């Protein structure tokens, strides 16, 4: 583990899950330490040796929201909440208490990594590279560095998979991308006979970006073949 | 709960009321009659006067007739009155048969100077009234038979004291109504509560009015509430178990996903198996999500607000998205009719119910065909129909279509992996809006109809 790798604190009482997460996030280049109860979680989070906290809601001794409150009293370390409860109420409470983001269980590991990256990159000055770190079409801008999409300058709430789908469509604007190809890019798997997952993702992206100002569609289906982004 | 103020005639209320009232009225009548029978007329000033007056009138008639005296005595009789004339020797004049009671009265009273009233075995005799005919003193007696007397008395009560009768009837009427209500209202309460329970309102309880009574009905009310509490906690426990199990399942599922991700890195050559595992995990996750949704919608548990929902706009959006998705499979979704209707409801639930029906229709409609969605108005209902052009489902299975995890035997094409909980969730959502959801075969295809009342009252 290199010394300059990002150090994460994982507060979760599910020991087995912690082991898996430590192993998996290590392959992504993160150095994770796990604690299994709220009190030691607060202590570790405030020790200053971590750059981000992954916090589970259901904890012994002190539940996740209490832990978050305690952390926020003295520190603004980024916190990503993990929870089995997909209720909107929890979500609102979590974000109100000052969580930076929220991920319901069972989370997709790719989604988790994407969120961690996004939080880590947030608020950092953009490195002005020669290679373009943004992708734009119409009024949509994709920031490839922190994986943030904006439309009319407003942030689009996209999942990691949706971001990949939109990125693929915009990169090849005006050309057909087959369902197979999109599945491979966004879901990292081959399309099988009854696999409609990619259609759902494209549909969700389409819902989120809406139509152009003049009401015309942005994404078109090519019957039975695939999708393309209509060039303005 | 609606309170019925007008009860149907065969109801317990009317039975109780009528019986009470009947009892009271007959008691009063019996009382009047009993008094009329047992009262000695002598004790009754007004009656004494009336009797003496009658005797007086009769005696004058007799005196007037004395000029054309004959042995037959014809006096204009009042109904129920008889007159007897006794000669000085005690023999009755012109009357072959004298009842024993009259003879008794005569023996007892003929030497009195003023008439007296004797009352014996139901016959009232008034006399003697001395009448001088040809310087002979005769004694005139008036008798009244008891039934006649009673009739006369009762009639007098009703004719002369009619306002008292009306007051008595009114008071007894009111008392009967009160008593009947006192007994029936709590029963109604219990009935209403049990109905609400049956309709799935588990929080329904008997009102305090009933609970606080110290009689059997109050006891029943308290027992009933106890039962309702037990029922509620049983059902809630079941639902909670369902939710808890679902939540618990998500932890191992999360671990499974992570293990899969690690496995993929370590052995890239098993890609197709890994892809399969990932899809199955996704499916499990969706199913668990559906179970949680189903259990919440069954209980009407939501933090979502009731608001005016423009159905046409909602359906337009759903159809637009569904059409986009269907195009990938060479199918299309269109609206055939779309009225401008707004109802009060929970937007997410209504949307997911309609969306679910549209998605099923897309699944079963053949390639190059379309799914037709319409929104109409019928009486006080908004009617949403979703029609596909697929094979339909067997008539016998139509009713079970909305049961959890319903499966048609492979009549609806290869892609039939059942309906899961989608249709049940849709049904729950529609029921929460006071509506119904039905399906019928329209050859070709299946048509699902959602009926939503335009003005559904939300029971908080």
């Amino acid at each position: 583990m290199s010394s300059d790798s990002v150090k994460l604190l994982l507060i979760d009482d599910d020991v087995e899950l912690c082991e898996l997460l430590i192993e998996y996030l290590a392959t992504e280049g993160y150095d994770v330490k796990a604690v299994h109860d709220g009190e030691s979680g607060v202590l570790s989070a405030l020790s200053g040796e971590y750059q981000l906290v992954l916090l589970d809601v259901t904890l012994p001794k002190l539940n996740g929201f209490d832990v978050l409150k305690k952390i926020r009293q003295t520190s603004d370390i980024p916190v990503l909440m993990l929870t089995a409860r997909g209720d909107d109420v929890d979500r609102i409470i979590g974000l109100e208490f000052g969580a930076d983001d929220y991920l319901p269980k069972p989370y997709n590991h790719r989604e988790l990594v994407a969120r961690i990256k996004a939080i880590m990159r947030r608020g950092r000055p953009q490195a002005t590279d020669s290679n373009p770190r943004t992708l734009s079409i119409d009024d949509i801008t994709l920031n490839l560095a922190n994986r943030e999409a904006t439309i009319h300058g407003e942030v689009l709430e996209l999942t990691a998979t949706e971001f990949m789908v939109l990125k693929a469509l915009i990169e090849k604007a005006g050309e057909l991308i087959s369902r197979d190809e999109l599945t491979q890019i966004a879901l990292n798997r081959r399309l099988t006979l009854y696999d409609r997952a990619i259609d759902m993702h494209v549909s969700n992206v389409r819902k989120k970006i809406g139509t152009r100002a003049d009401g015309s569609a942005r994404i078109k289906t090519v019957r039975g073949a695939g999708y393309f982004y209509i060039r303005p | 709960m609606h309170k019925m103020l007008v009860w149907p005639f065969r109801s317990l209320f009317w039975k109780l009321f009528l019986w009470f009232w009947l009892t009271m009225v007959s008691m009063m009548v019996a009382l009047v009659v009993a008094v009329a029978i047992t009262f000695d007329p002598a004790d009754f000033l007004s009656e004494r006067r009336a009797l003496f007056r009658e005797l007086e009138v009769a005696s004058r008639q007799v005196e007037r007739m004395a000029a054309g005296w004959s042995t037959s005595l014809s006096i204009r009789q009042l109904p129920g009155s008889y007159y007897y004339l006794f000669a000085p020797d005690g023999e009755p004049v012109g009357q072959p048969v004298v009842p024993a009671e009259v003879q008794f009265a005569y023996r007892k009273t003929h030497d009195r100077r003023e008439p007296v009233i004797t009352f014996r075995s139901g016959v009232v005799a008034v006399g003697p009234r001395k009448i001088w005919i040809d310087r002979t003193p005769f004694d005139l007696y008036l008798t009244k038979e008891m039934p006649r007397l009673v009739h006369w008395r009762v009639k007098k009560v009703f004719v002369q004291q009619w306002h008292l009768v009306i007051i008595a009837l009114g008071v007894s009427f009111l008392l009967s109504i009160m008593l009947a209500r006192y007994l029936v209202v709590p029963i109604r309460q219990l009935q209403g509560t049990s109905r609400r329970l049956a309709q799935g309102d588990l929080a329904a309880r008997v009102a305090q009015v009933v609970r606080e009574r110290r009689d059997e009905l109050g006891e029943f009310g308290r027992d009933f509430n106890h039962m309702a509490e037990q029922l509620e906690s049983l059902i809630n426990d079941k639902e909670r178990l369902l939710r808890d199990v679902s939540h618990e399942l998500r932890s191992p599922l999360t671990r499974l996903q992570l293990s899969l991700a690690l496995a993929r890195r370590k052995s890239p050559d098993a890609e197709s198996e890994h892809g399969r595992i990932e899809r199955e995990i996704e499916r499990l996750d969706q199913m668990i999500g559906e179970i949680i949704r189903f259990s919440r919608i069954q209980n009407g548990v939501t933090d979502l607000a009731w608001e005016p929902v423009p159905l046409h706009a909602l359906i337009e959006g759903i159809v637009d998205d569904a059409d986009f998705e269907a195009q990938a499979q060479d199918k299309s979704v269109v609206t055939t009719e779309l009225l401008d209707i707004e109802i009060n409801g929970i937007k997410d639930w209504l949307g997911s119910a309609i969306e679910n029906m549209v998605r099923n229709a897309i699944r079963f409609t053949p390639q190059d065909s379309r799914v037709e969605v319409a929104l109409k108005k019928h009486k006080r209902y908004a009617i949403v129909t979703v029609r596909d052009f697929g094979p339909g489902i067997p008539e016998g299975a139509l009713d079970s279509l909305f049961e959890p995890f319903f499966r048609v035997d492979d009549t609806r094409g290869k892609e039939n992996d059942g309906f899961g909980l989608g249709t049940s969730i849709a049904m729950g959502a529609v029921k929460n809006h006071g509506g119904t959801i039905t399906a019928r075969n329209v050859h070709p295809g299946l048509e699902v109809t959602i009926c939503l009342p335009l003005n559904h009252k939300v029971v908080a």
Side-chain angles (χ1 to χ4, degrees):
Chain A
M1 200 56 65
S2 60
S3 58
D4 61 345
S5 64
V6 181
K7 291 187 89 164
L8 306 183
L9 173 68
L10 173 60
I11 311 172
D12 193 330
D13 59 335
D14 185 339
V15 180
E16 286 173 87
L17 179 73
C18 287
E19 283 171 9
L20 285 163
L21 267 176
I22 290 168
E23 192 182 347
Y24 178 74
L25 289 173
T27 64
E28 293 283 341
Y30 295 103
D31 178 8
V32 184
K33 178 174 181 293
V35 294
H36 306 303
D37 71 81
E39 282 170 11
S40 47
V42 174
L43 289 174
S44 311
L46 298 178
S47 68
E49 55 184 295
Y50 304 101
Q51 284 129 302
L52 183 137
V53 178
L54 302 174
L55 173 59
D56 186 60
V57 170
T58 47
L59 286 173
K61 292 189 191 172
L62 213 56
N63 82 36
F65 295 121
D66 298 333
V67 171
L68 183 57
K69 256 194 274 187
K70 285 221 157 138
I71 293 174
R72 278 286 170 265
Q73 279 166 4
T74 53
S75 156
D76 59 357
I77 184 170
V79 174
L80 171 59
M81 292 202 91
L82 310 170
T83 173
R85 282 189 256 170
D87 306 359
D88 282 341
V89 173
D90 286 354
R91 174 173 201 147
I92 290 157
I93 291 171
L95 295 175
E96 259 183 14
F97 280 148
D100 294 74
D101 206 349
Y102 163 102
L103 201 54
K105 279 182 189 172
Y107 37 83
N108 181 300
H109 45 278
R110 283 192 290 270
E111 189 70 33
L112 177 67
V113 171
R115 300 274 183 119
I116 293 172
K117 281 183 177 158
I119 293 177
M120 296 308 298
R121 286 177 179 141
R122 229 172 266 169
R124 278 196 205 168
Q126 286 299 313
T128 44
D129 290 336
S130 53
N131 59 334
R133 303 295 290 154
T134 59
L135 199 61
S136 298
I137 192 160
D138 288 337
D139 48 357
I140 300 177
T141 307
L142 301 185
N143 181 332
L144 303 181
N146 64 2
R147 297 189 157 258
E148 203 172 64
T150 56
I151 185 160
H152 290 310
E154 286 174 32
V155 178
L156 261 181
E157 288 282 343
L158 294 178
T159 66
T161 310
E162 287 163 1
F163 188 89
M164 297 293 289
V165 168
L166 186 54
K167 177 169 167 272
L169 285 166
I170 291 175
E171 275 172 344
K172 292 194 164 188
E175 297 175 47
L176 172 77
I177 307 183
S178 71
R179 298 176 61 241
D180 196 5
E181 200 180 338
L182 260 183
T183 308
Q184 199 63 260
I185 294 168
L187 300 172
N188 193 17
R189 70 183 188 219
R190 281 214 303 283
L191 184 69
T192 52
L193 188 51
Y194 296 125
D195 190 353
R196 298 249 168 257
I198 197 65
D199 300 317
M200 295 308 307
H201 290 299
V202 175
S203 185
N204 288 335
V205 168
R206 178 178 165 273
K207 275 181 213 169
K208 287 180 180 177
I209 62 176
T211 53
R212 290 201 179 87
D214 61 0
S216 60
R218 298 174 191 267
I219 299 176
K220 187 165 171 18
T221 314
V222 180
R223 304 185 58 156
Y227 303 92
F228 68 89
Y229 193 99
I230 304 167
R231 277 199 171 284
Chain B
M1 184 187 122
H2 63 286
K3 208 172 164 184
M4 282 184 63
L5 287 174
V6 181
W7 279 298
F9 262 99
R10 57 174 195 288
S11 80
L12 186 63
F13 172 82
W14 285 107
K15 284 178 188 159
L16 278 171
F17 160 73
L18 283 172
W19 278 111
F20 282 133
W21 201 35
L22 202 65
T23 309
M24 280 188 177
V25 168
S26 45
M27 286 281 289
M28 286 190 296
V29 169
L31 191 69
V32 167
V33 170
V35 165
I37 288 169
T38 54
F39 246 60
D40 192 328
D43 299 344
F44 230 18
L45 188 64
S46 65
E47 256 188 25
R48 273 166 60 186
R49 280 192 191 141
L51 287 168
F52 289 144
R53 196 177 306 123
E54 197 180 328
L55 185 64
E56 193 65 31
V57 169
S59 68
R60 296 231 182 94
Q61 283 184 351
V62 174
E63 282 172 336
R64 268 205 301 279
M65 286 189 307
W69 169 252
S70 69
T71 48
S72 67
L73 185 66
S74 72
I75 296 173
R76 235 176 334 125
Q77 291 187 339
L78 287 169
S81 302
Y82 299 94
Y83 306 92
Y84 300 90
L85 203 56
F86 290 91
D89 58 359
E91 280 301 310
V93 178
Q95 294 268 2
V97 184
V98 178
E101 292 86 4
V102 183
Q103 293 207 12
F104 170 83
Y106 177 77
R107 278 203 302 280
K108 225 176 140 177
T109 62
H110 72 274
D111 47 1
R112 297 281 184 96
R113 305 196 48 183
E114 285 294 312
V116 288
I117 297 170
T118 46
F119 183 54
R120 189 186 154 104
S121 38
V123 177
V124 181
V126 192
R129 171 77 165 81
K130 292 268 185 277
I131 297 176
W132 294 85
I133 300 170
D134 298 340
R135 295 194 196 86
T136 318
F138 285 81
D139 291 319
L140 179 67
Y141 275 81
L142 155 71
T143 68
K144 267 188 180 289
E145 280 179 19
M146 200 63 213
R148 285 288 179 179
L149 184 73
V150 168
H151 178 250
W152 174 74
R153 279 176 172 171
V154 170
K155 209 168 116 182
K156 213 170 85 168
V157 167
F158 280 99
V159 171
Q160 290 181 357
Q161 310 289 336
W162 57 268
H163 45 275
L164 276 178
V165 172
I166 284 181
I167 287 172
L169 281 178
V171 168
S172 61
F173 178 88
L174 285 177
L175 281 172
S176 306
I177 289 249
M178 274 163 64
L179 186 54
R181 273 193 66 105
Y182 179 73
L183 290 172
V184 170
V185 166
I187 294 173
R188 285 257 152 202
Q189 263 273 357
L190 286 159
Q191 185 189 34
T193 312
S194 68
R195 273 190 193 160
R196 270 164 46 210
L197 269 177
Q199 282 163 8
D201 175 9
L202 293 175
R205 294 288 181 277
V206 177
Q208 206 168 352
V209 186
V210 182
R211 281 204 317 271
E212 283 178 346
R213 292 170 64 120
R214 289 188 182 169
D215 55 11
E216 286 85 345
L217 281 169
E219 219 170 301
F220 183 23
R222 292 188 289 274
D223 288 347
F224 188 94
N225 277 358
H226 183 62
M227 180 192 80
E229 269 152 34
Q230 292 287 323
L231 200 64
E232 187 180 25
S233 75
L234 264 176
I235 291 175
N236 286 349
D237 285 355
K238 190 192 109 192
E239 298 286 349
R240 199 174 310 117
L241 181 69
L242 197 64
R243 266 202 301 276
D244 288 351
V245 165
S246 308
H247 280 311
E248 287 303 315
L249 286 174
R250 290 198 141 155
S251 297
L253 216 52
T254 307
R255 292 196 290 265
L256 200 55
Q257 264 193 332
L258 277 168
S259 314
L260 175 68
L262 289 166
R264 273 186 149 160
R265 307 222 153 177
K266 291 174 184 172
S267 53
D269 47 344
E271 186 43 48
S272 68
E273 289 81 0
H274 287 153
R276 157 70 67 183
I277 293 170
E278 185 175 5
R279 280 199 307 282
E280 295 303 341
I281 291 173
E282 271 171 26
R283 227 171 250 176
L284 273 173
D285 181 35
Q286 273 167 10
M287 222 179 270
I288 289 167
E290 276 198 339
I291 290 172
I292 292 171
R293 270 180 71 82
F294 175 68
S295 119
R296 304 178 112 221
I297 229 158
Q298 285 296 87
N299 289 345
V301 177
T302 180
D303 14 303
L304 300 167
W306 286 75
E307 56 186 347
V309 179
L311 280 180
H312 50 282
L314 183 70
I315 289 173
E316 236 170 5
I318 291 170
V319 167
D320 193 35
D321 294 334
D323 186 46
F324 177 83
E325 287 164 33
Q327 296 221 346
Q329 309 169 45
D330 274 355
K331 299 168 184 178
S332 63
V333 183
V334 295
T335 49
T336 51
E337 193 178 347
L338 201 57
L339 280 183
D340 202 331
I341 301 176
E342 189 171 85
I343 70 163
N344 195 32
I346 296 174
K347 194 174 169 183
D348 276 22
W349 284 5
L350 287 172
S352 76
I354 296 166
E355 193 176 341
N356 183 275
M357 293 302 132
V358 173
R359 277 191 203 289
N360 279 337
I362 294 173
R363 257 172 66 196
F364 293 114
T365 208
Q367 287 214 328
D368 293 312
S369 75
R370 55 191 218 170
V371 170
E372 292 175 354
V373 183
L375 171 62
K376 305 179 199 118
K377 198 179 270 187
H378 177 69
K379 288 176 183 160
R380 299 211 317 279
Y381 287 89
I383 311 280
V384 184
T385 53
V386 179
R387 188 240 165 113
D388 66 44
F389 288 84
I393 61 173
E395 289 293 328
L398 283 174
D399 289 340
S400 5
L401 179 62
F402 299 99
E403 285 169 10
F405 303 113
F406 165 74
R407 284 175 178 280
V408 188
D409 48 18
D410 303 326
T411 46
R412 297 201 68 179
K414 291 195 298 285
E415 207 189 325
N416 176 26
D417 48 0
F419 287 82
L421 281 167
T423 49
S424 312
I425 292 171
M427 187 167 197
V430 170
K431 268 191 174 169
N432 281 327
H433 288 82
T436 57
I437 186 164
T438 50
R440 64 189 182 107
N441 286 310
V442 281
H443 313 290
L446 184 78
E447 183 182 77
V448 175
T449 305
I450 298 174
C451 277
L452 295 160
L454 294 176
N455 40 12
H456 176 56
K457 294 280 175 292
V458 187
V459 186

